[in-house]
Amino acid sequence: MPQLDTSTWFIMILSMIITLFFMFQLKVSKYYFPENPEPKPVSMSNPITPWEKKWTKIYSPLSLPLQ
Amino acid sequence: MNENLFSSFITPTMMGLPIVILITMFPGIMFPSPSRLINNRLISIQQWLVQLTSKQMLSIHNQKGQTWALMLMSLILFIGSTNLLGLLPHSFTPTTQLSLNLGMAIPLWAGTVVTGFRYKMKASLAHFLPQGTPLPLIPMLVIIETISLFIQPMALAIRLTANITAGHLLIHLIGGATLALTSISTITAMMTFIILILLTILEFAVALIQAYVFTLLVSLYLHDNT
């Protein structure tokens, strides 16, 4: 049986190691399975507008002392 | 007759150059590596099949065992594609070589055993003695379990080699018989041809099944040891 001829065994094992451990694993490692997206929790709060961050004294015309 | 029958299993060398390296690497061409976000149909189909197979095969493993996913998936792709390509006429199937199958089976099996020893030392040693054995039987059973452990890689390699080689030999023999019978009696040749067609269909199934069985057993040995 030619399979039992051990002179070729080294080259067979070497070529198998190259194919299986380098080529195929490089190819399969590049497969990209996208993660499942989840919906972001929707919050109803208004973001604070920049001019409301600092308290500014607002002079309403009706509150001013009479001129 | 012997020389002629086994001539397709000789490792191919062309004028002393080992072209068997190229032949073993050839199935890799059938699996292009994806480089875009949305790939072409061939890569998408292969990726979907790999995802299907990996989900089914890795569902029994825990976190530790699932680190072997890449190895098992490339194993089943390699053996499946090599076996299927070997069904073409005049082709050389690397998995008929005992050397290649031993080279795959022994390191993978040894990897599972060493993993078991490193992470679950007592439990993996406990595999040698099934639960509930009567006391006088214990020494004999330990010997039997050790032998059955060491036979695992041999059985993996020889199973794959023998199945694929036997299938190829049968196709050769029945094809030769069909050819010889056409000049003698056409009806018998037709019957033999139908047998050949059925055998080829069987060989397609065997090619895929052997890949599956090899990978499944490796994953089973892994499951025992993680």
Side-chain angles (χ1 to χ4, degrees), chain B residues 1-224:
Chain B
M1 161 86 161
N2 272 345
E3 186 53 49
N4 214 3
L5 194 56
F6 283 103
S7 61
S8 60
F9 299 121
I10 304 177
T11 340
T13 52
M14 191 153 70
M15 300 187 288
L17 287 172
I19 58 172
V20 63
I21 294 187
L22 296 174
I23 296 178
T24 315
M25 294 191 349
F26 181 73
I29 294 182
M30 302 285 147
F31 299 96
S33 44
S35 53
R36 301 240 158 87
L37 190 62
I38 308 286
N39 295 302
N40 56 17
R41 282 177 294 198
L42 181 67
I43 299 180
S44 304
I45 289 179
Q46 288 170 352
Q47 187 169 333
W48 170 70
L49 282 171
V50 164
Q51 190 172 4
L52 200 68
T53 319
S54 63
K55 276 196 172 162
Q56 208 259 320
M57 202 168 275
L58 295 166
S59 54
I60 55 173
H61 289 135
N62 55 4
Q63 184 82 357
K64 187 90 190 67
Q66 281 179 356
T67 51
W68 280 59
L70 184 63
M71 184 72 235
L72 292 175
M73 283 307 113
S74 52
L75 189 68
I76 194 171
L77 281 179
F78 174 61
I79 300 182
S81 60
T82 316
N83 289 345
L84 282 173
L85 278 175
L87 289 172
L88 297 168
H90 294 290
S91 62
F92 171 72
T93 319
T95 37
T96 54
Q97 302 298 309
L98 188 62
S99 52
L100 191 140
N101 296 336
L102 277 175
M104 279 197 295
I106 293 184
L108 287 170
W109 165 83
T112 61
V113 167
V114 166
T115 315
F117 266 10
R118 280 179 72 188
Y119 292 102
K120 290 180 13 169
M121 177 96 166
K122 281 186 289 188
S124 63
L125 278 177
H127 277 126
F128 286 125
L129 196 61
Q131 261 183 338
T133 56
L135 204 57
L137 280 179
I138 288 184
M140 195 180 69
L141 212 57
V142 169
I143 295 177
I144 291 179
E145 291 284 331
T146 315
I147 294 177
S148 81
L149 182 74
F150 281 100
I151 268 201
Q152 282 175 350
M154 300 296 147
L156 270 177
I158 296 182
R159 180 187 305 115
L160 186 58
T161 313
N163 272 311
I164 307 294
T165 312
H168 284 282
L169 274 177
L170 270 175
I171 291 181
H172 273 289
L173 282 172
I174 295 190
T178 314
L179 205 56
L181 277 174
T182 41
S183 51
I184 299 178
S185 132
T186 320
I187 301 289
T188 329
M190 293 286 290
M191 302 296 297
T192 328
F193 189 63
I194 292 178
I195 295 180
L196 187 63
I197 293 186
L198 291 174
L199 199 60
T200 313
I201 296 175
L202 175 68
E203 285 310 310
F204 269 98
V206 167
L208 295 169
I209 289 172
Q210 285 304 314
Y212 173 64
V213 165
F214 197 101
T215 316
L216 187 68
L217 283 173
V218 169
S219 91
L220 224 60
Y221 300 152
L222 185 65
H223 185 62
D224 272 346

Side-chain angles (χ1 to χ4, degrees), chain A residues 1-4 8-9 11-16 18-21 23-34, chain B residues 6 10-11 18 20-21 24-25 28 31 34 46-47 50-51 70-71 74-75 77-78 96-97 99-100 103-104 165:
Chain A
M1 260 180 68
Q3 283 106 324
L4 297 175
T8 55
W9 275 27
I11 196 80
M12 285 295 323
I13 296 183
L14 185 70
S15 56
M16 179 273 295
I18 294 178
T19 317
L20 188 59
F21 290 102
M23 277 180 58
F24 269 88
Q25 293 204 6
L26 278 172
K27 285 175 195 277
V28 177
S29 65
K30 291 206 172 87
Y31 283 169
Y32 170 62
F33 301 110
Chain B
F6 283 103
I10 304 177
T11 340
V20 63
I21 294 187
T24 315
M25 294 191 349
F31 299 96
Q46 288 170 352
Q47 187 169 333
V50 164
Q51 190 172 4
L70 184 63
M71 184 72 235
S74 52
L75 189 68
L77 281 179
F78 174 61
T96 54
Q97 302 298 309
S99 52
L100 191 140
M104 279 197 295
T165 312

